[in-house]
Amino acid sequence: MSRPSLKWCLPALALVILAVISSASRAGEPQVIEISARRFEFVPSRITVRRGETVTLRLRSQDVAHGFYMKPLGIDATIEPGKSIDVTLTPKVPGSYTVICDHFCGAGHGNMHMEIIVE
Ligand code: CUA
């Protein structure tokens, strides 16, 4: 049985080291979920996050100012057009949470909402 040559071992070792380094650097940073707001919806309309895991919601408006409000999750933000706003949360209690737009944005304002599922 021949031993694998050094020529093949080194690139494989380098890949393993790179994988370890990149997963270590990702571990400390919250996952970022991009959410787009526009009359009269949020896209995506539903996201799932894990209990106890910190996530950053990166909110952007495509048209006018919208609200982003869900009291039990501690979320109360205004999404101004042309700006991006980050909301970071670490949900503690599993469940389904409805985030509403609480900033009047037009005729369909009352139907503008999305779900955050915490599992
Ligand atoms: Cu969007 Cu009210």
Side-chain angles (χ1 to χ4, degrees), residues 66 101 103-105 109 112:
H66 295 280
C101 174
H103 189 109
F104 185 76
C105 55
H109 159 76
M112 185 166 173

Side-chain angles (χ1 to χ4, degrees), residues 64-114:
V64 299
H66 295 280
F68 198 78
Y69 180 76
M70 206 302 120
K71 191 170 185 196
L73 290 180
I75 299 172
D76 185 4
T78 300
I79 315 169
E80 300 287 353
K83 289 183 194 162
S84 159
I85 180 170
D86 284 356
V87 169
T88 296
L89 65 145
T90 309
K92 303 272 191 272
V93 183
S96 175
Y97 299 87
T98 302
V99 180
I100 61 164
C101 174
D102 67 336
H103 189 109
F104 185 76
C105 55
H109 159 76
N111 292 320
M112 185 166 173
H113 51 81
M114 69 167 286

